[in-house]
Structure formats: structure tokens, C-alpha cells
Amino acid sequence: MTRQVFFYDQPERFVAGTVGQPGARAFYLQASARGRITSVLLEKTQVAALAERIEEVLDEALRRSGGAATIPATAPQDLLDTAPLDLPLEQEFRVGTMALAWDSVDSCLVVEAQALVEEEEGEEEGAAVFEDDENGPDMLRVRLSGAMARVFAKRALDLVAAGRKPCPFCNLPLDPEGHLCPRANGYRR
């Protein structure tokens, strides 16, 4: 079967969103432009890792450019997108691996999400599976401006935090690995 690459260069919209209630939510990445919509399913931890890494890549690109890159230091408030995922919500694939790169020539962030590749019978567990471009896993590839990438990262981090119960002392979302509360004299929950 031939690989499908869903490519968006400066999409009208690129967001992370959820379906369901906290504790039972399904997480999606969704890109859309000119009436075309692509949605891919991924794990909550993948959304968090992607958003955090986007922030790091943008900060590094801004630092390396000496502040000359067209990357805002924070997400522009006028570009924030809080709308729900676009419908119809049709999952193209489940994400396995993701990659990020800053394209300094075009001043944009490239986000790639590849479909999860199931191990075939007879393959050793953990063995690397290399596919050629034509027959590799399906992929969502999105090129974003620095501002749109910051907006994506902010929404994604807010989305992940929204499913966590708040601390009774400081109202910050509780981290699954523990929460050092600043208002309760170091009380660890």
C-alpha cells in the first residue's frame, strides 16, 4: 500500500483537541485548510511532549537568530483558538512517532506525525523497522509560522492541564508525578 502524506503549508488551523470527558478523553491533532480536514489520534503524553518540544525549538531558534526570527516570545492573544475540533472528525491514523524542525530559510516550524507501525509476526520485539518513502507509514506534515506554532503549543498545554484535578491549596493542576504546592509550605500531594 502506498504511503499517504497529508501536507499543510501554513494551514488555516492546526490544533490539538479532545473528545470525551477527563479520564476517558481521546486526543487528536487536526489540520485544516481550504475545506480539507485531517485528524490523527494520539496519546495525551504525546500532545504534552509535542507542545513542550515546540516551545523549546522556538526558543532556541529565536536565541540563535539573535532575536531576528519572526517568532513571538509568547502566544499572541489575538490568534488563540479555543474552538472545538472541526467536524466531521474522521481519524486518518494513530500517531506513532513525531518529529520537529525549524526551517530557518522559510522561517517556519515543520511538524511531522507518522502513523504507528504495528510489528509484524516473526519480527523481534524492539527491532527497528525501516520503510522507504513510498511504502512507509502515513504521515501528517504541517509547516507553521512561529506565531501559529506558539498558539498551538499554548492550546495543547492548556488542554493537557485541563484534565487534571486542581490542588485544593493553590488551584494549579495536579501533576500525575506529584505536586509541590507553593502555598502549603512544600506540601507534596
Side-chain angles (χ1 to χ4, degrees):
M1 192 160 123
T2 303
R3 168 190 212 173
Q4 278 192 288
V5 176
F6 303 92
F7 180 64
Y8 291 83
D9 191 1
Q10 304 303 325
E12 294 163 8
R13 188 169 193 229
F14 181 62
V15 296
T18 61
V19 173
Q21 297 299 315
R25 296 183 295 173
F27 287 77
Y28 291 89
L29 294 180
Q30 189 175 74
S32 59
R34 294 180 291 285
R36 184 173 66 120
I37 301 169
T38 303
S39 303
V40 296
L41 181 68
L42 70 168
E43 299 294 324
K44 177 180 178 177
T45 55
Q46 289 174 299
V47 173
L50 177 61
E52 290 167 2
R53 187 68 182 123
I54 285 173
E55 290 286 355
E56 291 170 5
V57 168
L58 294 176
D59 289 346
E60 180 64 15
L62 191 57
R63 186 190 66 75
R64 285 186 179 194
S65 75
T70 57
I71 303 169
T74 61
Q77 293 296 315
D78 60 325
L79 296 180
L80 290 178
D81 182 349
T82 58
L85 294 170
D86 291 325
L87 298 176
L89 185 61
E90 297 173 4
Q91 171 190 326
E92 297 297 337
F93 58 83
R94 177 180 284 277
V95 175
T97 59
M98 294 182 291
L100 289 176
W102 178 255
D103 179 341
S104 58
V105 173
D106 292 333
S107 295
C108 67
L109 182 75
V110 181
V111 179
E112 292 183 351
Q114 282 193 355
L116 180 65
V117 177
E118 299 294 329
E119 289 183 19
E120 294 182 23
E121 283 188 43
E123 290 183 5
E124 291 182 33
E125 188 174 324
V129 178
F130 296 99
E131 305 274 353
D132 66 2
D133 285 347
E134 186 177 313
N135 296 317
D138 290 348
M139 176 191 299
L140 171 63
R141 179 179 292 140
V142 183
R143 294 170 54 87
L144 304 169
S145 68
M148 193 166 192
R150 286 278 190 211
V151 167
F152 170 86
K154 174 158 181 23
R155 175 179 168 142
L157 290 170
D158 289 349
L159 184 70
V160 169
R164 298 182 188 153
K165 294 179 182 175
C167 172
F169 299 104
C170 67
N171 210 30
L172 292 173
L174 292 173
D175 190 325
E177 280 113 39
H179 173 72
L180 184 60
C181 180
R183 289 200 183 150
N185 275 341
Y187 168 76
R188 184 173 288 281
R189 183 165 166 85

